[in-house]
mmCIF file of all heavy atoms in Angstrom:
data_model
loop_
_atom_site.group_PDB
_atom_site.id
_atom_site.type_symbol
_atom_site.label_atom_id
_atom_site.label_comp_id
_atom_site.label_asym_id
_atom_site.label_seq_id
_atom_site.Cartn_x
_atom_site.Cartn_y
_atom_site.Cartn_z
ATOM 1 N N ILE A 395 44.651 133.667 146.956
ATOM 2 C CA ILE A 395 44.748 134.118 145.566
ATOM 3 C C ILE A 395 46.207 134.351 145.202
ATOM 4 O O ILE A 395 46.686 133.906 144.154
ATOM 5 C CB ILE A 395 43.905 135.384 145.349
ATOM 6 C CG1 ILE A 395 42.416 135.036 145.434
ATOM 7 C CG2 ILE A 395 44.225 136.038 144.011
ATOM 8 C CD1 ILE A 395 41.482 136.224 145.301
ATOM 9 N N LEU A 396 46.939 135.030 146.057
ATOM 10 C CA LEU A 396 48.349 135.316 145.782
ATOM 11 C C LEU A 396 49.176 134.033 145.694
ATOM 12 O O LEU A 396 50.071 133.922 144.848
ATOM 13 C CB LEU A 396 48.913 136.233 146.865
ATOM 14 C CG LEU A 396 48.285 137.629 146.948
ATOM 15 C CD1 LEU A 396 48.799 138.359 148.187
ATOM 16 C CD2 LEU A 396 48.579 138.436 145.690
ATOM 17 N N GLU A 397 48.884 133.075 146.543
ATOM 18 C CA GLU A 397 49.660 131.835 146.563
ATOM 19 C C GLU A 397 49.519 131.054 145.263
ATOM 20 O O GLU A 397 50.419 130.312 144.868
ATOM 21 C CB GLU A 397 49.229 130.962 147.740
ATOM 22 C CG GLU A 397 49.698 131.474 149.093
ATOM 23 C CD GLU A 397 49.177 130.662 150.241
ATOM 24 O OE1 GLU A 397 48.090 130.043 150.120
ATOM 25 O OE2 GLU A 397 49.842 130.654 151.301
ATOM 26 N N ASN A 398 48.384 131.227 144.585
ATOM 27 C CA ASN A 398 48.119 130.447 143.377
ATOM 28 C C ASN A 398 48.583 131.150 142.101
ATOM 29 O O ASN A 398 48.641 130.541 141.033
ATOM 30 C CB ASN A 398 46.627 130.146 143.276
ATOM 31 C CG ASN A 398 46.334 129.011 142.323
ATOM 32 O OD1 ASN A 398 46.892 127.926 142.466
ATOM 33 N ND2 ASN A 398 45.483 129.251 141.343
ATOM 34 N N ASN A 399 48.894 132.450 142.182
ATOM 35 C CA ASN A 399 49.313 133.206 141.009
ATOM 36 C C ASN A 399 50.799 133.006 140.725
ATOM 37 O O ASN A 399 51.544 132.496 141.566
ATOM 38 C CB ASN A 399 49.024 134.696 141.209
ATOM 39 C CG ASN A 399 47.537 134.991 141.233
ATOM 40 O OD1 ASN A 399 46.705 134.112 140.980
ATOM 41 N ND2 ASN A 399 47.200 136.229 141.532
ATOM 42 N N PHE A 400 51.236 133.437 139.549
ATOM 43 C CA PHE A 400 52.667 133.422 139.233
ATOM 44 C C PHE A 400 52.987 134.564 138.283
ATOM 45 O O PHE A 400 52.099 135.142 137.649
ATOM 46 C CB PHE A 400 53.098 132.079 138.638
ATOM 47 C CG PHE A 400 52.504 131.758 137.290
ATOM 48 C CD1 PHE A 400 53.150 132.109 136.107
ATOM 49 C CD2 PHE A 400 51.290 131.081 137.195
ATOM 50 C CE1 PHE A 400 52.610 131.808 134.864
ATOM 51 C CE2 PHE A 400 50.736 130.773 135.950
ATOM 52 C CZ PHE A 400 51.399 131.144 134.785
ATOM 53 N N THR A 401 54.268 134.880 138.200
ATOM 54 C CA THR A 401 54.776 135.970 137.355
ATOM 55 C C THR A 401 55.859 135.435 136.433
ATOM 56 O O THR A 401 56.685 134.617 136.849
ATOM 57 C CB THR A 401 55.368 137.089 138.233
ATOM 58 O OG1 THR A 401 54.333 137.643 139.048
ATOM 59 C CG2 THR A 401 55.989 138.192 137.378
ATOM 60 N N ILE A 402 55.840 135.899 135.182
ATOM 61 C CA ILE A 402 56.921 135.593 134.247
ATOM 62 C C ILE A 402 57.599 136.898 133.849
ATOM 63 O O ILE A 402 56.930 137.851 133.457
ATOM 64 C CB ILE A 402 56.410 134.854 132.999
ATOM 65 C CG1 ILE A 402 55.854 133.481 133.397
ATOM 66 C CG2 ILE A 402 57.524 134.699 131.960
ATOM 67 C CD1 ILE A 402 55.296 132.673 132.243
ATOM 68 N N ARG A 403 58.913 136.938 133.959
ATOM 69 C CA ARG A 403 59.712 138.103 133.569
ATOM 70 C C ARG A 403 60.515 137.730 132.319
ATOM 71 O O ARG A 403 61.370 136.836 132.365
ATOM 72 C CB ARG A 403 60.630 138.531 134.712
ATOM 73 C CG ARG A 403 59.869 139.101 135.900
ATOM 74 C CD ARG A 403 60.763 139.305 137.108
ATOM 75 N NE ARG A 403 61.879 140.193 136.848
ATOM 76 C CZ ARG A 403 61.829 141.528 136.987
ATOM 77 N NH1 ARG A 403 60.702 142.119 137.372
ATOM 78 N NH2 ARG A 403 62.891 142.266 136.753
ATOM 79 N N ILE A 404 60.220 138.391 131.215
ATOM 80 C CA ILE A 404 60.842 138.123 129.924
ATOM 81 C C ILE A 404 61.990 139.104 129.730
ATOM 82 O O ILE A 404 61.788 140.321 129.779
ATOM 83 C CB ILE A 404 59.802 138.251 128.805
ATOM 84 C CG1 ILE A 404 58.695 137.201 129.013
ATOM 85 C CG2 ILE A 404 60.454 138.116 127.425
ATOM 86 C CD1 ILE A 404 57.433 137.490 128.242
ATOM 87 N N HIS A 405 63.190 138.590 129.492
ATOM 88 C CA HIS A 405 64.397 139.413 129.468
ATOM 89 C C HIS A 405 64.815 139.722 128.036
ATOM 90 O O HIS A 405 65.221 138.835 127.285
ATOM 91 C CB HIS A 405 65.521 138.717 130.235
ATOM 92 C CG HIS A 405 65.284 138.706 131.707
ATOM 93 N ND1 HIS A 405 65.998 139.493 132.586
ATOM 94 C CD2 HIS A 405 64.377 138.046 132.466
ATOM 95 C CE1 HIS A 405 65.552 139.297 133.821
ATOM 96 N NE2 HIS A 405 64.571 138.429 133.766
ATOM 97 N N ILE A 406 64.720 140.998 127.691
ATOM 98 C CA ILE A 406 65.104 141.462 126.355
ATOM 99 C C ILE A 406 66.611 141.711 126.283
ATOM 100 O O ILE A 406 67.197 141.694 125.206
ATOM 101 C CB ILE A 406 64.303 142.729 125.999
ATOM 102 C CG1 ILE A 406 62.816 142.350 125.851
ATOM 103 C CG2 ILE A 406 64.793 143.386 124.727
ATOM 104 C CD1 ILE A 406 61.916 143.533 125.592
ATOM 105 N N ASP A 407 67.232 141.951 127.424
ATOM 106 C CA ASP A 407 68.685 142.125 127.513
ATOM 107 C C ASP A 407 69.252 141.089 128.481
ATOM 108 O O ASP A 407 68.541 140.598 129.363
ATOM 109 C CB ASP A 407 69.038 143.521 128.040
ATOM 110 C CG ASP A 407 68.517 144.630 127.154
ATOM 111 O OD1 ASP A 407 68.911 144.674 125.978
ATOM 112 O OD2 ASP A 407 67.706 145.443 127.637
ATOM 113 N N LYS A 408 70.528 140.794 128.332
ATOM 114 C CA LYS A 408 71.209 139.967 129.328
ATOM 115 C C LYS A 408 71.199 140.721 130.656
ATOM 116 O O LYS A 408 71.545 141.897 130.728
ATOM 117 C CB LYS A 408 72.640 139.681 128.895
ATOM 118 C CG LYS A 408 73.404 138.808 129.877
ATOM 119 C CD LYS A 408 74.793 138.466 129.363
ATOM 120 C CE LYS A 408 75.520 137.570 130.355
ATOM 121 N NZ LYS A 408 76.864 137.166 129.866
ATOM 122 N N THR A 409 70.805 140.026 131.708
ATOM 123 C CA THR A 409 70.664 140.666 133.016
ATOM 124 C C THR A 409 71.593 139.994 134.010
ATOM 125 O O THR A 409 71.539 138.782 134.205
ATOM 126 C CB THR A 409 69.202 140.566 133.509
ATOM 127 O OG1 THR A 409 68.342 141.129 132.523
ATOM 128 C CG2 THR A 409 69.021 141.311 134.810
#
Side-chain angles (χ1 to χ4, degrees):
I395 290 177
L396 296 172
E397 287 176 333
N398 198 54
N399 292 353
F400 66 91
T401 297
I402 295 179
R403 292 170 59 88
I404 298 163
H405 289 253
I406 293 176
D407 300 300
K408 181 176 181 178
T409 304

